Amino acid sequence: MKIAMVGAGYVGLVTGVCLADFGHDVTCIDNDPRKIEALREGIVPIYEPGLSELVKANVEGGRLAFSSDLKSVVKDADVVFIAVGTPSRRGDGHADLTYVHAVAREIAAAVDGFTVVVTKSTVPVGTGDEVAHIIATTNPNADVAVVSNPEFLREGAAIDDFKRPDRIVVGIEDERARAVMTEVYRPLYLNQAPLQFTGRRTAELIKYAANAFLALKITFINEVADLCESAGADVQQVARGIGLDNRIGSKFLNAGPGYGGSCFPKDTLALMKIGQDFGSPMRLVETTVAINDQRKRAMSRKVITACGGDVRGKKIGVLGLTFKPNTDDMREAPSIDIIRGLQDRGAIISAYDPKGMDAAREMIDKVDYAANAYDVAQDADALVLITEWNEFRSLDLERLKGLMKSPVLVDLRNVYRHDEVTRHGFAYSSVGRPDHATYRDGMTETAE
Ligand SMILES: NC(=O)c1ccc[n+]([C@@H]2O[C@H](COP(=O)([O-])OP(=O)(O)OC[C@H]3O[C@@H](n4cnc5c(N)ncnc54)[C@H](O)[C@@H]3O)[C@@H](O)[C@H]2O)c1
């Protein structure tokens, strides 16, 4: 099939290259000429494990190309995906559909013959109707079926998620689209990935409901972590104890500094607004958003407490900036709020992240960027582990202590064990775990 992918960001590029890898003939289009130029030169502008290699293989195989010329690519396409951004609209938190609508108009003017137009961007309920309306009014002769096909991939594991999805959701209103979409996803379907056909509005809502539920789960365990701290219980064991119940499940039960990233914050906010618009408020989601907002800032207070209540003039070293490991994405990363909270109280920040420092430089001012974790620790009054990159999981604690002005470690991802860190003379605090306990095999608790 000839596929046009409009938007060559995290989702568009991964989807485009994976569909090419299935054997389709894919052209990724972007209106950022630098992005297209770089891709044509073999440079992948984002970090996603395995992506560069897959792009290279499919370009060489003649199945993947890049273009800035939407018109000529869409004209020949059987299927056109819309994978442009839908950020929070400034001021009110609704999903900003400017880019989606603009692309719909461009597609309308370019289509030739029956074409399936697929919205892959995360969009509010009713956007498919609006896209169909825009296309019909811009070009009354256009013969299109507008489909909703939300994306569930996770950054950092995006290729694997695309190739081994839990499900593929396809919302259609025109039966002609069913066969086309089945053909697009045939290799996955043959691999037994469930292909769920629904109405278009239902598919649009599935995406928001899924993300909001996951955000709610994270926020729940974060609140349990706070209770554990007050009550002298251990959140990791609580999470294991509840997660082994199949009705609950063990994923997304890691207590931490609050959710961030390019999806959960904007999608929870958008679902809140959708609920209000339909007169059906999503009160659990509203509360989740409020708790999570406060939590990021609360994490800087945790660091200040670990530093004896005052960080003015102190050097705080930050390990990890991206919203999670294995990505360079800094959008809505908790590190931004935590660092600003510390800077507001007079702290001097040095930081290191394996992939996120270029993006971080554009978002956070007055940070000294270091070459590695040990460089961050040099003369630091405290270290804060914010993102659990693998390279922070087995740091040489003795060496770190030797470099630091005072050995204080605040572990916001519960990577280390209390006994292990304190044995090296550190003052250690983590999230939702009592300071007086030691842990063996992550399971057995014994009083010190
Ligand atoms: N990033 C994720 O993990 C993820 C996962 C699932 C769903 N989504 C959703 O997918 C959508 C895209 O997200 P993303 O992270 O890939 O965004 P992104 O910002 O990385 O990419 C969007 C791309 O679209 C391009 N673009 C904008 N307007 C255009 C136009 N008129 N013509 C051509 N290109 C245009 C931009 O230049 C950019 O390269 C969003 O709706 C997001 O919510 C994202």
Side-chain angles (χ1 to χ4, degrees):
M1 291 200 128
K2 269 191 170 312
I3 295 177
M5 182 66 60
V6 186
Y10 286 86
V11 166
L13 200 52
V14 169
T15 309
V17 70
C18 288
L19 290 174
D21 210 46
F22 292 165
H24 296 303
D25 177 355
V26 180
T27 305
C28 292
I29 301 151
D30 205 286
N31 66 353
D32 179 346
R34 285 166 311 169
K35 218 171 233 187
I36 293 300
E37 220 168 281
L39 285 163
R40 282 188 163 155
E41 284 168 16
I43 302 161
V44 174
I46 55 171
Y47 174 71
E48 180 62 44
L51 184 60
S52 292
E53 296 80 349
L54 207 60
V55 166
K56 185 168 183 280
N58 281 282
V59 167
E60 283 170 9
R63 297 178 296 273
L64 180 65
F66 303 101
S67 172
S68 300
D69 182 7
L70 182 142
K71 201 165 184 182
S72 69
V73 179
V74 167
K75 184 173 158 291
D76 292 332
D78 304 304
V79 183
V80 182
F81 280 88
I82 302 176
V84 296
T86 47
S88 283
R89 194 162 66 190
R90 223 171 247 278
D92 65 7
H94 279 278
D96 184 348
L97 295 174
T98 315
Y99 308 111
V100 172
H101 291 168
V103 169
R105 279 189 289 275
E106 282 189 71
I107 292 170
V111 283
D112 187 10
F114 176 61
T115 311
V116 175
V117 176
V118 186
T119 310
K120 199 155 237 338
S121 302
T122 303
V123 292
V125 181
T127 303
D129 303 358
E130 186 60 23
V131 167
H133 176 75
I134 289 171
I135 295 176
T137 47
T138 309
N139 176 4
N141 296 323
D143 183 14
V144 300
V146 176
V147 168
S148 165
N149 173 217
E151 183 50 60
F152 300 98
L153 60 77
R154 295 163 302 167
E155 284 175 22
I159 291 170
D160 204 49
D161 281 352
F162 194 91
K163 293 196 163 182
R164 269 175 283 276
D166 293 330
R167 78 301 205 189
I168 301 153
V169 173
V170 182
I172 57 172
E173 295 299 321
D174 179 334
E175 271 304 313
R176 292 179 298 171
R178 187 185 294 264
V180 176
M181 292 307 287
T182 306
E183 188 57 32
V184 167
Y185 284 112
R186 180 177 299 282
L188 291 181
Y189 186 56
L190 293 176
N191 261 349
Q192 312 279 311
L195 195 51
Q196 182 188 5
F197 282 99
T198 68
R200 203 163 52 201
R201 287 179 166 236
T202 303
E204 288 167 342
L205 197 50
I206 286 172
K207 173 64 192 174
Y208 279 111
N211 270 4
F213 191 83
L214 294 172
L216 199 138
K217 204 172 171 190
I218 294 172
T219 305
F220 177 79
I221 202 66
N222 283 341
E223 279 211 309
V224 172
D226 290 348
L227 179 57
C228 284
E229 282 182 23
S230 307
D234 176 359
V235 72
Q236 280 184 308
Q237 298 203 35
V238 172
R240 184 167 160 81
I242 64 174
L244 287 169
D245 182 332
N246 284 335
R247 293 169 302 176
I248 296 173
S250 59
K251 305 261 174 72
F252 280 74
L253 285 180
N254 295 317
Y259 61 78
S262 64
C263 291
F264 287 179
K266 82 173 174 61
D267 292 350
T268 44
L269 211 54
L271 183 57
M272 203 174 109
K273 294 293 173 181
I274 294 166
Q276 288 164 2
D277 277 0
F278 281 92
S280 195
M282 302 291 292
R283 286 186 295 257
L284 282 174
V285 179
E286 288 176 5
T287 305
T288 298
V289 169
I291 295 171
N292 195 65
D293 275 351
Q294 290 159 18
R295 184 167 189 84
K296 298 186 203 172
R297 200 74 181 182
M299 289 300 114
S300 49
R301 291 199 295 277
K302 193 180 183 71
V303 178
I304 293 165
T305 305
C307 291
D310 183 17
V311 289
R312 188 159 302 282
K314 289 189 177 165
K315 182 181 162 186
I316 310 290
V318 170
L319 300 176
L321 293 164
T322 51
F323 81 97
K324 66 172 174 182
N326 296 324
T327 180
D328 58 353
D329 201 338
M330 279 295 297
R331 289 178 280 185
E332 303 283 335
S335 64
I336 300 170
D337 289 278
I338 297 170
I339 288 174
R340 286 195 185 133
L342 292 169
Q343 288 176 328
D344 288 349
R345 295 286 295 273
I348 301 155
I349 306 291
S350 70
Y352 166 69
D353 186 281
K355 296 286 177 194
M357 293 199 290
D358 286 347
R361 278 191 185 93
E362 314 225 319
M363 299 170 108
I364 327 172
D365 291 333
K366 297 193 191 119
V367 170
D368 292 328
Y369 290 97
N372 56 48
Y374 300 98
D375 202 9
V376 167
Q378 186 72 50
D379 298 325
D381 292 279
L383 273 183
V384 190
L385 199 163
I386 300 185
T387 316
E388 69 280 30
W389 286 89
N390 271 343
E391 64 181 77
F392 301 147
R393 285 185 181 275
S394 49
L395 292 166
D396 180 341
L397 295 172
E398 205 54 52
R399 183 173 164 205
L400 278 184
K401 189 185 164 208
L403 293 167
M404 294 175 72
K405 200 187 273 174
S406 60
V408 174
L409 177 61
V410 182
D411 175 3
L412 298 181
R413 298 289 181 176
N414 292 345
V415 165
Y416 286 93
R417 289 186 350 204
H418 185 267
D419 58 341
E420 178 189 8
V421 182
T422 50
R423 184 157 33 89
H424 287 90
F426 275 85
Y428 177 70
S429 40
S430 57
V431 179
R433 298 188 301 178
D435 291 345
H436 61 269
T438 58
Y439 308 93
R440 297 206 170 79
D441 305 327
M443 280 299 291
T444 320
E445 183 178 331
T446 50
E448 228 167 20

